[in-house]
Amino acid sequence: MSSLSGKQGPRYRHIAGEADPYETIAVEKLTPIIGAEITGVDIGKLVSDESRSNRQMDEIHRALAENLVIFFRDQHITPQQHLAFGRKFGELHVHPAAPNEGDPALMKIYADKDSPRANGEGWHSDVSCDLEPPMGSILYIKQCPPRGGDTLFANMYAAYDALSDRMKTYLDGLTALHDGEQAYRGLYANYGVADRPSYPSAEHPVIRTHPVTARKALYVNRGFTRHIIGIPRDESDAMLAYLYQHAENPLFQCRFRWTENAIAFWDNRCAQHRAMWDYWPHTRSGTRVTVKGERPA
Ligand code: SIN
């Protein structure tokens, strides 16, 4: 783990500004850096009530932009309402490999005592191997283990900001290959899912600019990024190893403890996440709706 301490306090300093108050929701930050719990929203009602949804939707958009991942507890929604909530943020993305729960856009998230693995155990940004990777993912957990099964999130603006100016200059303009082949082939065999002939792969900037906030974010992850284009392979391996270690600094993270019927909505363009599979032999189960994004720039 790299140290971000200097002679005068932390080298990485997050300056939290005073935000305008919210009017239709309450926003309680988990850490100064990332994550906020939202109250005052009934998602089942929000998706069916067009007239009152706009103000609240604007504030949910704003809370996501300001906090990168937002959480809603005690939501009792049907699969159709989960899909409808996702559609309020854009067209839905269909996962290239994972099993679904009756609708191609409703991804199954499930692990129990017989599972060989759980979904999303390493740090990643969802499906970054797509040419247009998803902007956001909305995970609804219906069944929790008695303890464990948390999800960790990390702020990739903060990871970028904490790089030295020399490193920022070095990375500026570089692109990297993100490959689904290695990530997905055979991964869902335990659910009886047959492999596709091929999986997506795409080249993306190592540093991307968020289309809503215009902030720069580090955009390489252990799950999908294979190498940086145009530099020797050993240099790429060393650089990616450094960037992964840097991005995973706990200073940039929050950790969400699930309760049944909670929802996490994260922005894949500026946050990475990883799921903890520390609850075997217990069961954790839910569904994920994923919203399409744009080509990273
Ligand atoms: C995922 O990567 O979408 C799974 C996250 C989780 O199950 O907590």
Side-chain angles (χ1 to χ4, degrees):
M1 183 65 56
S2 56
S3 162
L4 294 182
S5 298
K7 282 189 181 140
Q8 289 148 339
R11 195 178 85 214
Y12 174 67
R13 294 173 196 205
H14 175 80
I15 313 291
E18 279 304 311
D20 291 337
Y22 288 86
E23 286 171 12
T24 65
I25 58 175
V27 178
E28 184 69 34
K29 282 182 181 289
L30 262 70
T31 74
I33 308 278
I34 182 169
E37 214 164 307
I38 310 295
T39 51
V41 181
D42 179 336
I43 290 174
K45 282 203 184 122
L46 182 67
V47 295
S48 60
D49 181 356
E50 281 301 319
S51 61
R52 67 182 276 276
S53 65
N54 292 340
R55 280 291 291 288
Q56 215 170 38
M57 280 299 298
D58 287 350
E59 292 207 325
I60 291 171
H61 269 287
R62 183 183 142 205
L64 183 65
E66 289 179 356
N67 298 286
L68 293 69
V69 53
I70 50 180
F71 307 103
F72 307 84
R73 293 197 192 268
D74 300 319
Q75 300 293 327
H76 297 272
I77 54 171
T78 64
Q80 289 315 316
Q81 289 171 324
H82 189 182
L83 290 159
F85 185 53
R87 278 192 209 99
K88 282 191 162 282
F89 297 88
E91 263 181 74
L92 299 187
H93 173 273
V94 173
H95 196 280
N100 66 62
E101 290 277 16
D103 185 299
L106 197 64
M107 179 177 163
K108 176 182 174 127
I109 301 286
Y110 184 88
D112 69 8
K113 64 178 177 16
D114 299 319
S115 301
R117 46 171 290 278
N119 216 71
E121 280 182 82
W123 282 104
H124 65 287
S125 171
D126 287 326
V127 202
S128 70
C129 56
D130 265 0
L131 192 61
E132 295 182 340
M135 70 68 80
S137 304
I138 304 170
L139 177 59
Y140 182 39
I141 292 291
K142 295 284 291 175
Q143 184 181 354
C144 290
R147 278 165 296 282
D150 298 353
T151 309
L152 278 62
F153 297 89
N155 179 332
M156 292 301 107
Y157 299 133
Y160 173 77
D161 291 345
L163 293 170
S164 70
D165 288 342
R166 280 180 187 274
M167 183 59 82
K168 287 176 183 158
T169 303
Y170 173 84
L171 297 175
D172 183 40
L174 288 177
T175 59
L177 182 77
H178 295 236
D179 181 26
E181 192 62 39
Q182 212 174 314
Y184 292 138
R185 188 153 301 278
L187 191 68
Y188 295 103
N190 60 305
Y191 293 110
V193 177
D195 273 315
R196 287 168 38 154
S198 66
Y199 289 104
S201 74
E203 205 178 306
H204 298 310
V206 171
I207 307 298
R208 71 179 290 183
T209 303
H210 194 286
V212 175
T213 65
R215 291 185 65 189
K216 289 187 178 182
L218 183 61
Y219 195 64
V220 290
N221 67 84
R222 281 188 201 274
F224 295 101
T225 314
R226 298 292 163 246
H227 61 266
I228 299 176
I229 312 285
I231 59 174
R233 190 55 78 104
D234 56 348
E235 185 176 328
S236 164
D237 289 348
M239 184 54 61
L240 287 176
Y242 165 71
L243 292 174
Y244 296 153
Q245 188 195 35
H246 172 77
E248 293 162 12
N249 192 312
L251 265 178
F252 310 143
Q253 296 175 16
C254 73
R255 180 171 180 138
F256 184 61
R257 178 163 294 178
W258 289 91
T259 42
E260 284 179 359
N261 303 308
I263 289 176
F265 183 1
W266 59 88
D267 186 332
N268 285 300
R269 301 168 295 189
C270 52
Q272 290 191 33
H273 60 284
R274 65 160 293 183
M276 297 298 293
W277 193 32
D278 53 359
Y279 49 89
W280 188 91
H282 297 285
T283 300
R284 179 176 181 272
S285 150
T287 46
R288 193 181 92 191
V289 166
T290 311
V291 183
K292 282 187 180 177
E294 58 289 298
R295 194 165 180 181

